[in-house]
Amino acid sequence: MAKALTRMTAEEIIGEITASGLRGRGGAGFPTGRKWDLCRREKARPKYLICNGDEGDPGAFMDRSVLEADPHAVLEGMVVGAKAVGAAKGFIYIRNEYPLALERMGIAIRQGRKLGLLGKDILGSGFDFDLEIVRGAGAFVSGEETALIASIEGQRAFPRPRPPYPAQHGLWGQPTVINNVETWANIPSIIRRGAAWFSGLGTETSKGTKIFSLVGKINNTGLVEVPMGIRLRDIVFGIGGGIPGGREFKAVQIGGPSGGCIPNQLLDLPVDYESLSRAGAMMGSGGMIVMDEDTCMVDIALYFLRFTQEESCGKCAPCRIGTRQMAEILARIAAGEGGPEDLKKLEELALTVKHGSLCGLGQTAPNPVLSTMRYFLDEYRAHIDDRRCPALVCKNLITFVIEPEKCVGCLLCLKNCPANAVAGEPKKVHVIDQAACIKCGACFNVCPPKIRAVSKTTP
Amino acid sequence: MAQKRKTSGTDSKPTAVRRIIAKYGGQTRAIIPILQDIQDRERWLSSQVLEEVARELDVPLAHVYSVATFYKSLSLEPRGRHICTVCMGTACHVRGGTAILEHFERRLRIRAGQTSPDREYTLERVNCLGACALAPLVVADGRYYSQMTESKANAVLETLGRRSERPHRNPSGAGRRR
């Protein structure tokens, strides 16, 4: 930071960031240097910086970890960015769900001001820059940059069409650079170690390292920072240590509700912006959720569509109505009530929502459906044609039964059944009354592992 | 950029709402943190409070409502003394979070998003708490409980004062068949 403030011009800083090949870590992957340069060229004053810490993708928590563990890296990056574009004020937007991140960022800012690293005349360079924290209020769409700006302004988080881009017309109509937490945190290292060092890592188009949160059905769950271009297989089976319980790998979901599911046959894919998009997924902010044979892909598509439908801000019709229609069709298929025409309808709707929506939320909302239909069409067909759920997940299509030869009559399932659907006496075989069963799975979960008398079946 | 509050009002009694608004310099752009701070204090936002905010900030009541109804962390209904939040993130979902939520619904006899009639418990679902390595996750009164199971959930409820009981047949319609 001192180097950038005292020994580099704004042009030199942007030159260095551009040469490093750094691209936005929030999902879309726009080149950071280019964004900064656009904003630098704007004549209007004041200019603003925003750090987007509204990490809403379920299954992703890299930004939380950076904000909690190294808030100073974000501050440093923002001071460098402020010098580069000529901004005097910055905002750090952090989700309401991350209380510790909010607290620690507050401490870091107070420390910075006390040490003269924020505020007036930073390090005696004559440069002024100060930061303010903005607490999110619980809306997934506010992670979209124009919606986030509306939220800081005290409005509902509605996105607006681009262009004009925030770099030209952002917060209160002023030129604004908005970058993700991880992007800002990358800046100090690039300035300190040089663009060549950073661009030496990664692939032709995706430079540097990226943090992923590796979660779900995986042995080693947590955050991993890997060079771009690493094979998915090396992350899942190398670093992640494979699937627990000897189960079979099915897919890895990348990119949250905007992303898609990458199947087994594509595990050798290099992880970079372009390869993931081609495979129907997305870098997103970097959530990787590993799924095994016990995960139903129709259920996952339904899960994400319900999510986007609920989080759609309602401003534009394709997203508001389209996600709802798609979720309803998926719910029908998951309930075993889908017809053969539903798949075609789903695909048509998906394309309409993708092309017709205003912002990234709607444009990418169909990805979970399209990618699961592309790689796991047989599972959709099983639900529709055979009324069965191969992964034994969709409640309407499975039954819980007690195998008489295994049951020891311990009463555990009977006591735990919330629907009083289990009949039996001590030391006598128990029976589930299928008419009363609510398919909650309590009996399946409490039956001791040594006995395993309760099983799930599908037609 | 931000508009200053007009000096208003016939009586200048410093109510809690006024103190909170003053903390933010009466700026209309701070309406979201103002509502959040009021909610932290009162546990919800009553219509009187929203009207007072509109008056004090000198903005239309419709604007205050548009913000208060848009953001999920703001509640226009009273919330319970104990808050149970079940995480419904993707990692929690694939590890059985839905079953955990349904278990809480049955035990508390309310649906997600509801508050029990005695205002003791509020059950909430959240999209992701960013603690996915601990999935499935439940937060009860600010404490995080990891790798939830039905029996662990019963223990959590017990710490909140909900005694275990023999479940009844289909209580409150929760966990109904689809």
Side-chain angles (χ1 to χ4, degrees):
Chain A
M1 178 175 122
K3 180 177 167 188
L5 281 188
T6 56
R7 298 208 299 271
M8 292 172 84
T9 64
E11 288 79 3
E12 281 167 354
I13 295 173
I14 290 180
E16 198 71 13
I17 300 300
T18 309
S20 75
L22 175 66
R23 294 170 65 178
R25 296 298 195 238
F30 191 82
T32 307
R34 184 130 51 95
K35 193 186 266 185
W36 288 17
D37 195 44
L38 271 174
C39 185
R40 187 184 66 85
R41 288 168 193 277
E42 289 295 315
K43 298 268 183 306
R45 293 285 187 284
K47 294 179 182 176
Y48 297 107
L49 297 189
I50 297 174
C51 170
N52 185 346
D54 191 52
E55 185 177 47
D57 280 7
F61 59 108
M62 310 55 64
D63 293 351
R64 176 176 71 85
S65 156
V66 172
L67 290 168
E68 287 176 2
D70 196 2
H72 303 92
V74 177
L75 298 192
E76 259 192 81
M78 291 187 80
V79 174
V80 173
K83 161 97 189 252
V85 305
K89 175 94 203 244
F91 295 87
I92 302 183
Y93 192 97
I94 301 177
R95 292 178 82 198
N96 194 36
E97 288 84 349
Y98 290 175
L100 190 61
L102 282 157
E103 184 189 321
R104 293 202 175 154
M105 185 51 86
I107 297 172
I109 290 178
R110 283 196 295 279
Q111 287 172 338
R113 285 188 191 135
K114 211 165 149 191
L115 296 170
L117 302 170
L118 276 178
K120 294 253 175 261
D121 191 20
I122 297 173
L123 292 173
S125 63
F127 179 71
D128 303 338
F129 180 67
D130 207 1
L131 280 166
E132 187 179 311
I133 296 179
V134 179
R135 176 154 66 119
F140 175 69
V141 70
S142 53
E144 199 277 340
E145 57 180 15
T146 60
L148 188 141
I149 286 171
S151 180
I152 295 181
E153 291 172 351
Q155 311 285 334
R156 283 177 289 177
F158 272 1
R160 61 158 179 79
R162 297 172 303 177
Y165 289 93
Q168 296 149 330
H169 188 95
L171 194 57
W172 294 295
Q174 300 299 122
T176 305
V177 163
I178 173 163
N179 280 133
N180 163 268
V181 171
E182 211 186 320
T183 316
W184 289 119
N186 266 307
I187 304 294
S189 313
I190 295 175
I191 296 295
R192 196 168 58 244
R193 305 176 74 159
W197 163 78
F198 190 82
S199 61
L201 296 163
T203 68
E204 196 52 45
T205 54
S206 308
K207 302 295 188 191
T209 59
K210 171 87 189 86
I211 313 176
F212 290 98
S213 72
L214 193 56
V215 295
K217 305 283 187 71
I218 183 117
N219 277 317
N220 307 327
T221 115
L223 296 176
V224 295
E225 181 169 359
V226 292
M228 292 276 196
I230 187 174
R231 290 183 320 157
L232 260 178
R233 186 183 299 282
D234 295 331
I235 298 183
V236 175
F237 288 96
I239 303 168
I243 316 297
R247 310 299 286 172
E248 195 72 33
F249 171 88
K250 186 184 265 181
V252 52
Q253 205 280 346
I254 304 179
S258 306
C261 294
I262 310 272
N264 201 5
Q265 64 268 29
L266 291 180
L267 265 183
D268 288 314
L269 200 72
V271 175
D272 60 54
Y273 292 99
E274 283 73 20
S275 308
L276 290 180
S277 297
R278 270 199 304 274
M282 190 195 188
M283 182 74 79
S285 53
M288 283 191 180
I289 296 112
V290 180
M291 295 162 180
D292 67 5
E293 56 191 306
D294 296 331
T295 314
C296 168
M297 301 318 271
V298 175
D299 177 68
I300 286 297
L302 174 61
Y303 164 82
F304 279 115
L305 257 291
R306 284 211 171 121
F307 179 94
T308 37
Q309 183 226 315
E310 198 180 299
E311 292 295 340
S312 170
C313 75
K315 184 172 177 175
C316 70
C319 175
R320 180 182 71 236
I321 304 170
T323 52
R324 184 179 188 103
Q325 292 299 323
M326 289 172 75
E328 278 175 9
I329 295 177
L330 284 166
R332 207 156 61 217
I333 296 175
E337 291 154 8
E341 70 291 345
D342 278 339
L343 289 177
K344 199 162 164 276
K345 248 191 250 168
L346 255 186
E347 203 166 351
E348 277 173 22
L349 273 167
L351 294 177
T352 310
V353 174
K354 198 178 174 113
H355 297 304
S357 294
L358 177 65
C359 82
L361 188 151
Q363 287 160 8
T364 57
N367 284 351
V369 180
L370 290 172
S371 77
T372 46
M373 281 175 69
R374 178 162 152 195
Y375 299 120
F376 300 96
L377 194 62
D378 52 331
E379 285 196 37
Y380 281 85
R381 292 229 173 280
H383 284 74
I384 294 171
D385 301 340
D386 312 330
R387 311 276 180 230
R388 51 189 296 270
C389 174
L392 301 169
V393 172
C394 297
K395 279 187 181 179
N396 247 22
L397 304 178
I398 55 169
T399 27
F400 288 87
V401 288
I402 297 172
E403 294 171 41
E405 58 276 19
K406 287 188 184 168
C407 180
V408 294
C410 70
L411 296 178
L412 256 182
C413 55
L414 187 146
K415 281 183 190 151
N416 279 282
C417 176
N420 286 351
V422 182
E425 286 170 44
K427 313 257 162 139
K428 286 196 179 145
V429 169
H430 302 343
V431 182
I432 297 174
D433 171 7
Q434 295 300 336
C437 176
I438 58 169
K439 320 265 177 87
C440 71
C443 50
F444 184 81
N445 292 332
V446 295
C447 188
K450 269 190 278 180
I451 296 168
R452 284 191 177 281
V454 182
S455 63
K456 287 189 272 190
T457 58
T458 187
Chain B
M1 117 179 188
Q3 189 186 318
K4 284 274 173 286
R5 173 164 69 102
K6 288 178 191 160
T7 39
S8 72
T10 39
D11 78 294
S12 50
K13 202 167 58 161
T15 61
V17 169
R18 280 198 184 146
R19 272 198 302 276
I20 288 169
I21 290 176
K23 194 175 111 191
Y24 291 95
Q27 295 182 338
T28 51
R29 76 161 169 96
I31 185 165
I32 299 168
I34 287 169
L35 293 176
Q36 284 173 326
D37 282 6
I38 296 172
Q39 171 156 311
D40 286 346
R41 212 189 116 90
E42 319 262 330
R43 294 199 304 212
W44 69 298
L45 301 168
S46 64
S47 58
Q48 289 89 328
V49 158
L50 296 177
E51 280 164 25
E52 192 178 351
V53 170
R55 210 162 47 235
E56 292 293 321
L57 287 178
D58 196 24
V59 294
L61 183 58
H63 174 65
V64 181
Y65 264 95
S66 78
V67 170
T69 52
F70 187 87
Y71 293 100
K72 266 195 273 183
S73 70
L74 302 172
S75 170
L76 299 192
E77 279 168 25
R79 281 151 41 103
R81 215 156 60 83
H82 300 292
I83 313 256
C84 293
T85 310
V86 183
C87 184
M88 285 283 129
T90 323
C92 290
H93 179 81
V94 301
R95 289 206 199 173
T98 312
I100 300 297
L101 180 68
E102 286 169 359
H103 184 74
F104 273 91
E105 288 184 329
R106 280 193 299 270
R107 285 294 317 275
L108 294 174
R109 302 188 193 185
I110 47 178
R111 309 295 307 269
Q114 291 180 340
T115 298
S116 59
D118 60 4
R119 295 213 184 149
E120 276 294 302
Y121 301 95
T122 294
L123 179 62
E124 292 180 333
R125 43 177 296 167
V126 62
N127 282 336
C128 183
L129 289 163
C132 317
L134 308 177
L137 187 74
V138 168
V139 183
D141 288 349
R143 272 199 66 180
Y144 286 65
Y145 297 91
S146 63
Q147 292 166 350
M148 264 296 137
T149 58
E150 272 106 348
S151 54
K152 274 190 180 176
N154 289 338
V156 170
L157 283 166
E158 215 146 300
T159 64
L160 302 185
R162 188 88 178 169
R163 285 204 322 278
S164 50
E165 54 191 275
R166 180 80 178 89
H168 295 261
R169 187 172 290 265
N170 199 18
S172 79
R176 81 268 177 253
R177 303 182 69 194
R178 284 223 295 271

